[in-house]
Amino acid sequence: MGTAGTGRAIAALAALVTVCGCTAQAVDADGEPRGPIHIDVTGTVPAAPPPATSKAPEKPAAPAPVPAPVLWSRGDSGRDVRELQARLRQIAWLFDGPTGTYDELTEQAVRGFQGKRGLPRTGSTDTVTWQRLLKMTREPGQWDLYLMGGQPADAPDARCLTGRVLCLSKTSRTLRWMIDGRTVTTLPVRFGSEYTPTREGEFRVYWKSRHHHSTLYDSPMPYAMFFSGGQAVHYSSDFAARGYAGSSHGCVNVRDEAAIAQLFGEVRNGDKVVVHW
C-alpha cells in the first residue's frame, strides 16, 4: 500500500474511533497490524472535583445573663424589709406584718409577685423585682410600716421619770412601764379615734378587772386597768388582728396578750398613768 493509502486508512480509523470509541488494531507505516489498542473517546469531559467549601466560623455562645443583684433575702431584717412588706401588702401579696423580718411568708409573697410578672421565681428581692414593685405601689407612711407595732418608743414625758408609771405616748403609740425612771417594759398600743379620743393628762389606776366585759360596747376587755372613767389599758383582739388599721373607743389597746397579762400582775391600784404627745 502506498503512503497516500496508508494515510487515508489511518484517518478513517481515527474518525471511526472518534464517533463510537472502540478497540482498534494499530498498524505500522507499511499497513501491517501491530497489536490491538483500546481508544475510549466518549466525548465527555471528566467532572471536575467539587470545589473545597470553606466552613463559616461558629459564632461564640452568648454569655449567660448575669443575675440581678439581690437586695434582701430570707433572714434579713430592718426598715427596708418593712417597706418591702408594706408595699407587698398594698397589692395583696402579703397580709401579715410588716414585721421587719424577711421570713417565710415574705419569701412566698415575693416569689408569687415574681412569677406573676415573668421574673425568676427566687423569693429573694433583687433590683429588678424591687423596681417593678416600686412602680406599682406608693410610698408607705409611718403606720403602714408599723401597722402591727414594733416601732421605737419616743422619749418619756418628764412626769414619767419618778415613781411607778404607765407612760403612754400618742406620738410613738407606745406604752412604757417605768419604775423610778427605768423602763421595765415597752409595748405598742392603740388609742381612740378622733371621734372617741383617749384623754390626755396625768391619772391614777383606780380599778383592775382581769375578765372585764364592756356593757357599753358589748365587747371583752381582758386585763383592764381603768384610769379615767370608762377608759382603761386592756388587751384587744381587734388590735391583735388589724393593727393600726382600726382604733379604740377611747381605751388604750394592747395587742400582746401575754405581755399585758404579765403587766396586769405588776401594776397596782394607785400607780400613775401619763398620757402625752
Side-chain angles (χ1 to χ4, degrees):
M1 180 182 296
T3 302
T6 300
R8 285 193 297 271
I10 291 173
L13 176 62
L16 179 63
V17 169
T18 300
V19 172
C20 60
C22 60
T23 299
Q25 194 173 31
V27 295
D28 57 16
D30 296 326
E32 296 298 326
R34 194 173 53 182
I37 59 172
H38 180 75
I39 301 174
D40 186 6
V41 180
T42 61
T44 61
V45 178
T53 57
S54 58
K55 188 176 182 182
E58 294 184 0
K59 294 183 179 179
V66 178
V70 173
L71 299 174
W72 312 289
S73 58
R74 189 167 178 177
D76 290 338
S77 60
R79 195 267 183 201
D80 290 338
V81 174
R82 280 188 180 276
E83 181 174 348
L84 167 68
Q85 293 169 328
R87 289 179 182 273
L88 287 169
R89 282 181 60 88
Q90 289 179 29
I91 54 176
W93 277 106
L94 189 65
F95 299 95
D96 290 358
T99 64
T101 299
Y102 205 117
D103 53 14
E104 182 179 0
L105 290 176
T106 304
E107 185 178 65
Q108 290 174 356
V110 171
R111 186 178 292 114
F113 175 82
Q114 291 168 330
K116 183 74 173 179
R117 281 143 193 90
L119 303 175
R121 293 169 53 91
T122 64
S124 298
T125 303
D126 55 38
T127 53
V128 174
T129 301
W130 180 239
Q131 289 301 317
R132 183 70 63 88
L133 185 59
L134 288 178
K135 292 178 181 178
M136 298 179 62
T137 54
R138 59 171 175 79
E139 180 75 19
Q142 170 76 357
W143 303 113
D144 294 319
L145 295 174
Y146 295 98
L147 181 67
M148 307 306 290
Q151 68 275 20
D154 60 0
D157 186 271
R159 294 168 291 178
C160 301
L161 301 179
T162 58
R164 298 164 57 88
V165 191
L166 287 171
C167 191
L168 304 163
S169 170
K170 285 189 170 183
T171 301
S172 63
R173 300 186 184 185
T174 53
L175 175 156
R176 287 179 184 262
W177 167 230
M178 303 183 69
I179 300 176
D180 297 330
R182 179 176 60 90
T183 299
V184 179
T185 303
T186 302
L187 298 171
V189 293
R190 187 175 70 173
F191 294 96
S193 69
E194 61 177 313
Y195 305 106
T196 55
T198 304
R199 301 180 189 100
E200 298 158 24
E202 184 175 328
F203 311 91
R204 296 281 172 175
V205 175
Y206 71 88
W207 180 35
K208 294 171 60 181
S209 179
R210 184 182 296 271
H211 303 294
H212 194 78
H213 190 94
S214 171
T215 55
L216 180 61
Y217 298 107
D218 190 24
S219 62
M221 296 171 55
Y223 306 106
M225 295 173 277
F226 289 89
F227 61 87
S228 177
Q231 294 189 355
V233 178
H234 68 85
Y235 170 72
S236 168
S237 59
D238 182 74
F239 184 29
R242 299 174 59 208
Y244 292 113
S247 60
S248 77
H249 293 102
C251 286
V252 179
N253 295 158
V254 178
R255 67 185 304 271
D256 187 333
E257 187 172 9
I260 195 172
Q262 181 176 344
L263 183 63
F264 183 88
E266 296 177 8
V267 172
R268 307 168 188 165
N269 285 340
D271 285 346
K272 187 165 43 176
V273 178
V274 176
V275 181
H276 68 94
W277 283 98

